[in-house]
Amino acid sequence: MIKVLLVDDHMLVRVGLIEVIETHGGMKVVADVANGEEALVAYESHRPDVVVMDFRMPGESGADTTRRLIERHPDAKVLILSVYEGEEDVGRAVQSGARGYLSKGVDTADLLDAITSLAEDRPYFPARIAQKIRKRDERGRLTEREMTTLELLVQGMSNKEISQELSISVATVKLHISNILEKMEVSDRTQAAIAAVQRGVVHLDD
Amino acid sequence: MIKVLLVDDHMLVRVGLIEVIETHGGMKVVADVANGEEALVAYESHRPDVVVMDFRMPGESGADTTRRLIERHPDAKVLILSVYEGEEDVGRAVQSGARGYLSKGVDTADLLDAITSLAEDRPYFPARIAQKIRKRDERGRLTEREMTTLELLVQGMSNKEISQELSISVATVKLHISNILEKMEVSDRTQAAIAAVQRGVVHLDD
DNA sequence: TAGACCATTGGCCATCTGGACAGTCCTCTT
DNA sequence: AAGAGGACTGTCCAGATGGCCAATGGTCTA
């Protein structure tokens, strides 16, 4: 009997998951929680074989929660479930130690298949996802400073505003942005902003 | 007995909805489909009291489907269910004739409440949603040409590229963009691009 | 018919942006 | 000690961007 822990802030998705998983003989949902904090607690008290975790949640992200979970329990098997498939999201999930990544659009068979794989200690990354992970690795990674600059850029700030915000000269901001454009393989700031959102490098909050 | 039709491309959400709705005495899911085409067919054969419809689906959007449905069946009661709450998304839902709008983050009580409201011919728009509808109405609406220009802008095109794409002069593109900036209450193209995505004016496809 | 709104174009101009080149300072690794 | 990489600053410059003003033609409504 595979014991599963669900972590998702959407009640409807949790209910759907429970229904699908419980209907399948051989799996059982031992607990379902709505955020990262509760996830850690639930993990320790239920010791599930597999954790099915939403990627984007209010508060702590799925990637952060996964990282913290795996720090304490290196053998925890986390399957990330997400509506989004941006390269950066996927890449961060992998980096955090997740053993699988699934779109929320999955059908029943694939979902059960993924959970079974993880329970048997095999990773589960569909071809399209694996493709994105490679794509992300090919591109140069942004440094911390470049990342901060990109975030401000996505907030719509001009070079001057960014320079004031970070207390550096406009020249430096321009250099950072120049590097960002090159690494992201785009040719101007607007494209960088859009690409950042699309790839999941920066998340827009409503 | 309230008859409900579900339209959502995510299997997990459909299952969740069925579970929640069926558990409540007094409601029943008469059919659940994954896209707009099937929705029309299902509506005609099952004549549900309420249609719970996802907003963003591959292919025809929830708003378009709602519009078509209401054209043929003016008394159809559609409750839009969405992960997104951008002003434009909400506004378009209302314009398409939907009688209610709910975030996918709802709890059971609110969901059942909303369905009941619609069945009794009362609209259901939570305060935060109603707020966004007003916000959207306050801002000037983009003309068709401005909308097209904005879409190209979000694709990362320069004024020159847009002018070529639309076969107009750069001067005209600049004017359109100038109007876009004013109507959207932003001060440059990058902010316009981000705001367009955030408010749901333009959708990014992965 | 007059007014309102939209799409179109042109010109002028201050500012912003992004590329290229040069150089300093610091930290970490070899 | 040497080298690599990152953050930082500056200068020069062509081209893009956005504001402002002026003008034409088409459509739709009052």
Side-chain angles (χ1 to χ4, degrees):
Chain A
M1 201 65 160
I2 302 174
K3 289 185 291 178
V4 182
L5 165 62
L6 305 183
V7 188
D8 195 309
D9 59 313
H10 287 79
M11 176 271 291
L12 289 172
V13 175
R14 286 202 310 275
V15 173
L17 280 168
I18 293 174
E19 190 62 16
V20 170
I21 293 173
E22 300 262 319
T23 299
H24 175 268
M27 292 183 195
K28 192 183 153 192
V29 175
V30 292
D32 66 291
V33 300
N35 61 62
E37 294 302 324
E38 299 176 59
L40 292 200
V41 178
Y43 187 90
E44 316 226 320
S45 55
H46 294 280
R47 295 294 170 150
D49 300 301
V50 177
V51 181
V52 175
M53 171 121 54
D54 188 16
F55 191 78
R56 299 198 195 182
M57 295 182 288
E60 197 180 51
S61 78
D64 289 339
T65 304
T66 301
R67 189 169 299 112
R68 280 212 291 152
L69 180 60
I70 289 185
E71 254 172 39
R72 292 196 218 169
H73 309 279
D75 55 330
K77 303 182 188 73
V78 179
L79 173 64
I80 296 286
L81 195 62
S82 178
V83 217
Y84 309 97
E85 293 190 359
E87 301 156 27
E88 194 67 19
D89 280 346
V90 180
R92 284 183 195 170
V94 174
Q95 257 187 335
S96 72
R99 311 269 181 100
Y101 198 102
L102 259 191
S103 160
K104 276 192 181 171
V106 274
D107 58 33
T108 308
D110 286 343
L111 174 64
L112 299 176
D113 195 21
I115 295 176
T116 306
S117 287
L118 262 70
E120 294 172 354
D121 217 3
R122 283 180 285 112
Y124 187 93
F125 293 100
R128 198 177 53 211
I129 298 296
Q131 163 68 30
K132 298 208 174 175
I133 298 173
R134 277 195 299 281
K135 187 87 184 175
R136 181 205 188 217
D137 288 338
E138 284 167 20
R139 278 196 258 260
R141 301 291 268 290
L142 298 189
T143 65
E144 206 179 308
R145 210 54 169 158
E146 285 160 1
M147 190 60 84
T148 310
T149 304
L150 180 58
E151 276 161 19
L152 299 179
L153 190 159
V154 172
Q155 280 168 39
M157 291 190 189
S158 67
N159 290 344
K160 193 175 174 184
E161 288 169 328
I162 294 174
S163 77
Q164 288 164 352
E165 180 71 26
L166 300 181
S167 301
I168 55 180
S169 81
V170 175
T172 309
V173 175
K174 287 171 73 171
L175 176 68
H176 288 324
I177 292 187
S178 209
N179 291 334
I180 290 171
L181 298 184
E182 195 183 355
K183 290 181 182 176
M184 295 187 75
E185 298 175 325
V186 294
S187 52
D188 65 57
R189 56 171 53 223
T190 303
Q191 286 175 20
I194 293 297
V197 172
Q198 209 162 27
R199 295 176 195 167
V201 182
V202 176
H203 294 174
L204 297 178
D205 28 39
D206 299 311
Chain B
M1 199 67 161
I2 302 174
K3 289 184 291 177
V4 182
L5 164 63
L6 305 183
V7 188
D8 196 309
D9 58 314
H10 287 80
M11 176 271 291
L12 288 172
V13 176
R14 286 202 308 276
V15 173
L17 281 168
I18 292 175
E19 190 62 17
V20 171
I21 293 173
E22 300 262 317
T23 298
H24 176 269
M27 291 184 195
K28 192 183 152 193
V29 176
V30 292
D32 65 292
V33 299
N35 61 63
E37 293 301 323
E38 299 176 57
L40 292 201
V41 177
Y43 187 91
E44 317 227 317
S45 54
H46 292 96
R47 295 293 169 150
D49 300 302
V50 177
V51 180
V52 175
M53 172 119 57
D54 188 16
F55 191 76
R56 298 200 196 181
M57 296 182 288
E60 197 181 50
S61 79
D64 289 338
T65 305
T66 302
R67 189 168 298 112
R68 280 212 290 153
L69 180 60
I70 290 184
E71 252 171 40
R72 294 195 216 167
H73 309 280
D75 55 331
K77 303 183 187 74
V78 179
L79 173 64
I80 296 287
L81 194 62
S82 178
V83 217
Y84 310 97
E85 292 191 359
E87 301 154 29
E88 193 66 20
D89 280 346
V90 180
R92 284 183 196 170
V94 175
Q95 258 188 335
S96 71
R99 310 270 181 99
Y101 197 102
L102 259 192
S103 160
K104 276 193 180 171
V106 272
D107 59 32
T108 307
D110 286 344
L111 174 64
L112 298 176
D113 196 21
I115 294 176
T116 307
S117 288
L118 263 69
E120 293 172 354
D121 217 3
R122 284 180 285 111
Y124 187 93
F125 293 100
R128 198 175 54 210
I129 297 297
Q131 163 69 30
K132 299 209 172 174
I133 298 174
R134 277 195 299 281
K135 187 87 185 173
R136 182 205 188 219
D137 288 340
E138 282 167 20
R139 278 198 257 262
R141 301 292 266 290
L142 299 189
T143 64
E144 206 179 308
R145 210 55 170 160
E146 285 160 1
M147 190 61 82
T148 310
T149 304
L150 180 57
E151 277 161 18
L152 299 179
L153 190 159
V154 172
Q155 283 168 37
M157 290 190 191
S158 67
N159 290 344
K160 194 175 171 184
E161 288 168 329
I162 295 173
S163 78
Q164 287 163 353
E165 180 70 26
L166 300 181
S167 302
I168 55 180
S169 80
V170 175
T172 308
V173 174
K174 287 170 72 171
L175 178 69
H176 286 324
I177 291 186
S178 209
N179 291 333
I180 290 171
L181 298 182
E182 193 183 358
K183 290 182 182 176
M184 296 187 75
E185 297 173 328
V186 295
S187 51
D188 64 56
R189 56 173 51 224
T190 303
Q191 286 176 21
I194 294 297
V197 172
Q198 209 162 25
R199 296 175 194 167
V201 182
V202 177
H203 294 175
L204 297 178
D205 28 38
D206 299 310

